[in-house]
Amino acid sequence: MKNRLFQHTGQLVLFLLKRDRFVIPIWIMGILFFTYSVAAVFPDLYQTAEERQSIAATMNNPAIIAMVGPGYGLDNYTPGAMMAHQMLLFTAIAAAIMSILLVTRHLRADEEEGRIELIRSFPVGRLANISASFIVLTFVNVALALIIGFGLAVMKIESMDLEGSLLYGAAIGAGGFIFTGLTAIFNQLTQNARSALGLSFSALGGFYLLRALGDIDQSGLSWFSPFGYVTGTKVYVENDWLPIFAAAGIGLFFAAAAFYLQSIRDLDTGFLPAGKGREKANKTLLSPIGLTFRLQRTGFICWTAGMFILGISYGAVLGDLESFFQDVDLMKNMLVPVEGYTLTEQFLPMLLSVMAMMGTIPVLMSVLKLAGEEKKGRAENIYSLAISRNRYLWSHIFLALISALFMLLAMAIGLWFAAAAVMEEPFQLSTIFRGAFAFLPALLLMISISVLLVGISAKYGALTWIYLLYSFIVVYLGNLLQFPDWMSKLSPYGYIPQIPVESMDYPAAIMMTIIAALIMVTGTFFYNKRDISG
Amino acid sequence: MAVVETRNLTKKFGTFSALSGVDLSVDKGEVYGFIGPNGAGKSTTIRILLGLLKASSGDAAIFGMDAWRDAVEIHKRLAYVPGDVNLWPNLTGGEVIDLFLKLRGSEKNSKRDEMIERFQLDPTKKCRTYSKGNRQKVALVSAFSAQADLYILDEPTSGLDPLMEKVFQECVMDVKEAGGSVILSSHILSEVEKLCDRVGIIREGTMIETGTLKELRHLTRTSLLVETAEKMGDLEMLKGVHGSEWKGNIVQFQADSEEIGSIMEYVSRFGVIRIESAPPTLEDLFMRHYETQPSQPRGK
Ligand SMILES: Nc1ncnc2c1ncn2[C@@H]1O[C@H](COP(=O)(O)OP(=O)(O)O)[C@@H](O)[C@H]1O
Ligand SMILES: [Mg+2]
């Protein structure tokens, strides 16, 4: 009788593998490619032991520990130790994200879409789908571990031996395995895939922070986070396998819990109450701007946090940049030394411009949301009410402007915060702020262009992304690839002064702002004259 | 004065003429049925009335104001229910209803809770979880809670079950009693029969008939199935009988609506055992219309 619960698990495994025949290889290849490319460049970046030791000296500050885990083997900072210390945790997080997405796809998403109901109507066991999902995910994580392990070993990099490499892979797979079980539990609790993903990613973020705290105060708190087991292996230095076995045990325990919960619940139910939504709307929702903000709130918060973290990660590397620059020919091409400025000061504008362009993404998304709403047939809801085109359009523009300010602010504060922790002579807050906000006119121009395109037709809005991509290529890689000057002058980012090396160019900023305003007004004009298609 | 009035309304999408010269008028307190098969141009007309689309030529006025230019002013007194209701997945039905009521500018929404009750909607659920019918209910609740002067309803009942359709019909009657006007579009003739004072029939972007259903009677045929004890004589001899088909003592045929009386009288002489009738369909109506006027190709 017992067997009946698992009837046809084997066929389902094949079926799931077939459904995921593109997704799984893409994830594995992506993670592998990331690992390979870092492993390939690290030894070249730091060719001598002295260089590595100078980096090692910066690895003991709290910002770095919070980000990548405690340093180990710092007295003899081999390429292996360096790679494992700085990259292993992030790679394990990628494996965890992969597992969260794949598990939810096969458990709750399939159930929500009614596919499980269909499968269950065949002579298929009640636990067959969850078993098949686990088998597939275990297979994926083990395959990932082995491919990365052997892959690193065959590169024959000094200090990266077979055992260490296999452990490196195993630590990544262990991260994925624990989150497979944990996500499977969350999939039992909630009633829809979205909430399951929400819980899983919150857990991922929470465990990352828990480990950061534990690593900083060394209280052992890290062992309550799956990521503590990943960094606890001390790959390439101590090669401790114990955390891997512990992680496998924890993963199995989570899996057993998920199986039990699955076995006692009805189809389409969850253990958490469905969470009744609001019966009446909050006052803050009841205006075009209120609605617009509400629809973008989650994205807005995530992007602000993301820009802050991006600022921190860029800031964290500033400390060892001076020594780094001396050896990297690549960077020398990008930076022509300027008298009277340190190399970090010269490097700052480039960091800021990359971050400003990243920060432009959510800003443009705010404007393009208007086109998205139209394509999804929801704009007509608003325009059949007593709301003018101007009012709804400018709600989006206004939010984009606020978003621009927040993104620049978040990245500037993040950068300053980390730079203050790691640099011997940290930047002034005002320097970073001036540098960051110098990009505001460029963002305004990007907003205005998206307004113009959306104003002409909802279809054209997405063209703004191409322009942003173009800007990124010419401004970021332009120096390196020796593009002619006029190419970067076709992008608004090409007109932003290199603060602190150059001084603020107010006439240019004012000019750009005026042009942006004119383009926005033109876009508004078109938007008022055209058909709303849905 | 007419509440809604369009004159010679034309809309081209590229070279395709979705509407060519649509004239339509709705009076105060009138329920107007706007009938036509799928793709006839009902939604396009309605979207021009809502100021979502700009007419290529012609005029559209609501409350005596220009439908395009004065859209915001007009919409304060208008409620619209689209055929395909698209809502925001992460807002609840209740939130959407409140939003719509507020953004229409109607402060009085005392009927909100009553309407939610009548349509049996759970307003605490996220729109993501609503079926098509429930999404339609959200739009209907928000429309009928508003004290509007004009209701534009574009195939609003396609997702509703018969019970809810009844509630919907009551709501439309309430609006009419309160002196409001309604445009109700549909591709099913019988659906609007019960409610509408007048109907306009559109096909391929052209209005082909307008009038009360009584006036359009001459265009409608009822299809009948009759079984009699004695075998009847040749029915086709009678005026208004078409396409009769026999199977023993059972006959199936189409009857012109205006001749039904005399046909029944004849049939009853043979001892009626069973009689079934199906309401006239739009297709029948078109068939009769085009028996006299051949259609012209659309576009150019
Ligand atoms: N935005 C558009 N672009 C091109 N053709 C359209 C557009 N909207 C509607 N049409 C066409 O116009 C005709 C009328 O459509 P519609 O008004 O939606 O019909 P109905 O509502 O009567 O079913 C259809 O043939 C449809 O394909
Ligand atoms: Mg339609």
Side-chain angles (χ1 to χ4, degrees):
Chain A
M1 263 331 264
K2 209 73 194 143
N3 269 340
R4 298 262 148 161
L5 286 174
F6 300 97
Q7 186 103 356
H8 287 313
T9 298
Q11 264 141 301
L12 275 181
V13 168
L14 294 180
F15 176 64
L16 294 188
L17 285 174
K18 194 171 162 196
R19 267 183 69 195
D20 286 352
R21 66 188 180 280
F22 296 117
V23 185
I24 291 174
I26 287 174
W27 269 106
I28 294 184
M29 296 312 288
I31 294 175
L32 184 72
F33 179 76
F34 173 72
T35 307
Y36 255 47
S37 51
V38 174
V41 299
F42 252 11
D44 288 342
L45 283 184
Y46 312 95
Q47 279 166 347
T48 66
E50 291 81 64
E51 280 166 28
R52 288 195 297 271
Q53 282 322 118
S54 70
I55 295 289
T58 67
M59 286 293 146
N60 254 339
N61 77 74
I64 298 282
I65 292 176
M67 233 171 48
V68 301
Y72 56 87
L74 290 177
D75 345 322
N76 179 17
Y77 208 43
T78 59
M82 197 153 90
M83 163 106 185
H85 179 213
Q86 297 183 22
M87 289 301 148
L88 179 58
L89 182 58
F90 287 126
T91 318
I93 289 176
I97 291 175
M98 169 191 77
S99 300
I100 289 173
L101 293 175
L102 286 177
V103 172
T104 306
R105 172 179 156 96
H106 291 315
L107 296 183
R108 191 48 81 167
D110 272 359
E111 190 166 331
E112 202 182 346
E113 307 274 332
R115 286 192 280 265
I116 302 287
E117 185 174 348
L118 194 67
I119 287 176
R120 282 255 204 108
S121 69
F122 298 115
V124 167
R126 199 156 357 118
L127 292 179
N129 183 57
I130 191 172
S131 315
S133 305
F134 261 101
I135 292 171
V136 168
L137 261 293
T138 308
F139 165 76
V140 169
N141 279 308
V142 169
L144 183 66
L146 292 177
I147 290 174
I148 288 186
F150 284 111
L152 284 177
V154 299
M155 290 178 87
K156 298 242 179 286
I157 294 167
E158 174 214 339
S159 76
M160 295 167 75
D161 56 355
L162 178 64
E163 188 197 350
S165 299
L166 284 178
L167 182 58
Y168 189 97
I172 292 167
F177 188 66
I178 292 187
F179 274 91
T180 301
L182 198 59
T183 306
I185 293 179
F186 290 142
N187 272 272
Q188 306 306 316
L189 300 185
T190 68
Q191 272 187 21
N192 59 64
R194 216 182 121 96
S195 319
L197 286 177
L199 275 182
S200 306
F201 281 114
S202 308
L204 182 100
F207 281 132
Y208 180 78
L209 285 179
L210 191 69
R211 179 214 50 80
L213 288 177
D215 285 352
I216 290 172
D217 71 5
Q218 300 181 332
S219 58
L221 210 55
S222 301
W223 296 112
F224 290 94
S225 164
F227 298 121
Y229 295 84
V230 172
T231 55
T233 48
K234 303 206 170 25
V235 179
Y236 292 128
V237 178
E238 293 174 22
N239 283 348
D240 189 353
W241 284 84
L242 208 60
I244 298 299
F245 296 121
I250 294 169
L252 282 176
F253 171 75
F254 284 154
F259 269 76
Y260 173 70
L261 291 174
Q262 173 87 57
S263 72
I264 60 168
R265 77 176 172 87
D266 292 339
L267 193 71
D268 288 337
T269 61
F271 288 97
L272 290 178
K276 281 200 176 257
R278 289 184 158 277
E279 210 239 291
K280 289 194 156 67
N282 201 319
K283 280 257 176 331
T284 54
L285 172 68
L286 300 178
S287 65
I289 185 83
L291 173 70
T292 312
F293 176 67
R294 172 68 182 280
L295 297 178
Q296 304 184 27
R297 187 175 58 191
T298 315
F300 183 79
I301 293 171
C302 291
W303 271 98
T304 309
M307 288 308 294
F308 180 72
I309 292 170
L310 189 70
I312 288 192
S313 12
Y314 276 9
V317 300
L318 283 172
D320 44 77
L321 273 181
E322 302 259 41
S323 63
F324 183 87
F325 281 139
Q326 271 116 75
D327 311 300
V328 186
D329 295 336
L330 193 71
M331 287 292 167
K332 273 194 185 145
N333 282 344
M334 295 178 90
L335 285 174
V336 185
V338 178
E339 276 306 310
Y341 292 98
T342 62
L343 280 168
T344 42
E345 279 172 333
Q346 289 177 60
F347 193 59
L348 183 65
M350 193 199 293
L351 282 187
L352 288 173
S353 73
V354 172
M355 285 196 286
M357 284 189 252
M358 286 288 286
T360 307
I361 294 173
V363 173
L364 291 180
M365 279 164 69
S366 281
V367 179
L368 297 180
K369 178 80 178 160
L370 184 65
E373 287 285 295
E374 184 174 343
K375 285 187 202 145
K376 293 211 167 86
R378 296 193 292 241
E380 73 168 10
N381 290 337
I382 300 301
Y383 290 129
S384 68
L385 304 167
I387 300 298
S388 68
R389 304 239 178 135
N390 280 339
R391 196 155 162 220
Y392 201 41
L393 170 64
W394 281 86
S395 297
H396 286 83
I397 298 177
F398 179 73
L399 214 69
L401 296 176
I402 299 286
S403 173
L405 292 176
F406 265 76
M407 295 311 142
L408 294 177
L409 197 67
M411 76 185 209
I413 292 177
L415 188 68
W416 170 76
F417 188 70
V422 299
M423 287 173 77
E424 282 168 22
E425 286 175 55
F427 292 120
Q428 298 275 308
L429 183 61
S430 67
T431 308
I432 295 184
F433 266 51
R434 276 189 295 123
F437 280 91
F439 282 93
L440 196 56
L443 267 69
L444 289 180
L445 259 170
M446 294 305 286
I447 293 176
S448 72
I449 287 162
S450 64
V451 170
L452 179 65
L453 290 169
V454 172
I456 293 170
S457 163
K459 289 197 294 269
Y460 297 153
L463 292 178
T464 330
W465 295 126
I466 297 177
Y467 192 41
L468 182 62
L469 186 69
Y470 171 82
S471 299
F472 186 80
I473 292 170
V474 295
V475 173
Y476 183 56
L477 302 175
N479 294 340
L480 182 68
L481 303 178
Q482 316 272 310
F483 285 163
D485 212 29
W486 60 264
M487 286 189 74
S488 69
K489 292 295 176 204
L490 287 180
S491 155
Y493 301 90
Y495 292 89
I496 304 302
Q498 312 251 312
I499 292 173
V501 179
E502 297 171 7
S503 58
M504 181 66 198
D505 186 353
Y506 285 103
I510 291 169
M511 204 54 214
M512 285 168 83
T513 309
I514 292 174
I515 294 172
L518 288 178
I519 297 178
M520 271 186 228
V521 170
T522 314
T524 309
F525 173 77
F526 282 121
Y527 190 64
N528 271 289
K529 285 187 85 76
R530 76 165 168 89
D531 288 351
I532 295 293
S533 55
Chain B
M1 193 192 71
V3 173
V4 180
E5 179 112 59
T6 74
R7 214 163 302 133
N8 207 15
L9 209 54
T10 303
K11 179 69 187 173
K12 285 190 192 295
F13 293 113
T15 56
F16 176 77
S17 299
L19 300 179
S20 23
V22 170
D23 294 317
L24 174 157
S25 92
V26 181
D27 289 330
K28 182 165 164 34
E30 185 175 54
V31 180
Y32 183 88
F34 193 31
I35 327 264
N38 289 327
K42 304 181 294 293
S43 298
T44 304
T45 309
I46 285 173
R47 286 149 151 248
I48 291 175
L49 289 176
L50 289 168
L52 293 167
L53 304 182
K54 196 169 187 263
S56 306
S57 68
D59 300 313
I62 297 182
F63 309 132
M65 293 180 273
D66 185 78
W68 174 263
R69 209 187 45 227
D70 305 318
V72 173
E73 209 43 51
I74 292 169
H75 293 178
K76 289 180 184 163
R77 298 164 57 194
L78 177 154
Y80 166 59
V81 176
D84 220 344
V85 184
N86 297 299
L87 301 174
W88 298 274
N90 47 350
L91 299 187
T92 65
E95 285 179 315
V96 171
I97 291 168
D98 286 346
L99 179 74
F100 285 0
L101 283 170
K102 173 76 186 189
L103 297 193
R104 195 179 285 123
S106 48
E107 289 304 329
K108 296 172 290 179
N109 49 15
S110 49
K111 291 205 290 186
R112 175 197 190 265
D113 295 338
E114 181 205 322
M115 282 298 162
I116 288 177
E117 182 83 30
R118 271 173 86 175
F119 279 101
Q120 293 174 18
L121 178 76
D122 180 352
T124 64
K125 285 231 171 94
K126 299 268 184 192
C127 293
R128 168 182 315 116
T129 65
Y130 284 144
S131 62
K132 175 176 163 72
N134 277 330
R135 291 200 303 274
Q136 234 154 18
K137 284 183 190 176
V138 170
L140 287 167
V141 166
S142 101
F144 287 121
S145 303
Q147 320 251 304
D149 295 325
L150 173 65
Y151 292 77
I152 299 185
L153 314 171
D154 191 1
E155 311 204 22
T157 57
S158 47
L160 298 186
D161 59 39
L163 214 66
M164 284 302 129
E165 215 176 311
K166 186 119 190 307
V167 175
F168 165 77
Q169 287 166 2
E170 287 164 17
C171 288
V172 172
M173 293 323 286
D174 290 350
V175 166
K176 187 177 148 84
E177 252 163 55
S181 312
V182 178
I183 296 180
L184 173 59
S185 96
S186 176
H187 64 275
I188 304 165
L189 190 59
S190 59
E191 195 176 78
V192 297
E193 254 186 322
K194 295 178 216 105
L195 294 169
C196 297
D197 304 306
R198 233 150 42 86
V199 296
I201 297 174
I202 186 170
R203 188 170 191 250
E204 300 192 342
T206 317
M207 296 295 282
I208 56 172
E209 292 281 345
T210 314
T212 62
L213 271 176
K214 210 161 148 197
E215 287 164 3
L216 298 186
R217 257 305 109 87
H218 72 281
L219 284 175
T220 59
R221 278 173 191 169
T222 306
S223 84
L224 286 169
L225 181 148
V226 181
E227 184 176 359
T228 46
E230 288 171 55
K231 174 120 172 117
M232 281 185 280
D234 190 5
L235 265 182
E236 293 271 355
M237 302 283 289
L238 289 175
K239 199 171 162 227
V241 172
H242 309 268
S244 54
E245 273 174 42
W246 292 89
K247 204 188 251 173
N249 278 1
I250 304 173
V251 63
Q252 214 171 353
F253 60 95
Q254 317 273 317
D256 287 352
S257 299
E258 63 267 33
E259 300 296 338
I260 288 249
S262 55
I263 296 170
M264 282 298 116
E265 196 198 329
Y266 174 80
V267 166
S268 61
R269 288 182 222 152
F270 300 91
V272 176
I273 294 173
R274 173 160 71 123
I275 184 158
E276 286 171 13
S277 78
T281 66
L282 206 50
E283 292 69 40
D284 300 334
L285 193 148
F286 288 138
M287 231 180 291
R288 283 202 77 184
H289 178 83
Y290 290 111
E291 273 166 16
T292 44
Q293 296 153 275
S295 92
Q296 278 141 21
R298 208 175 185 184
K300 49 176 196 177

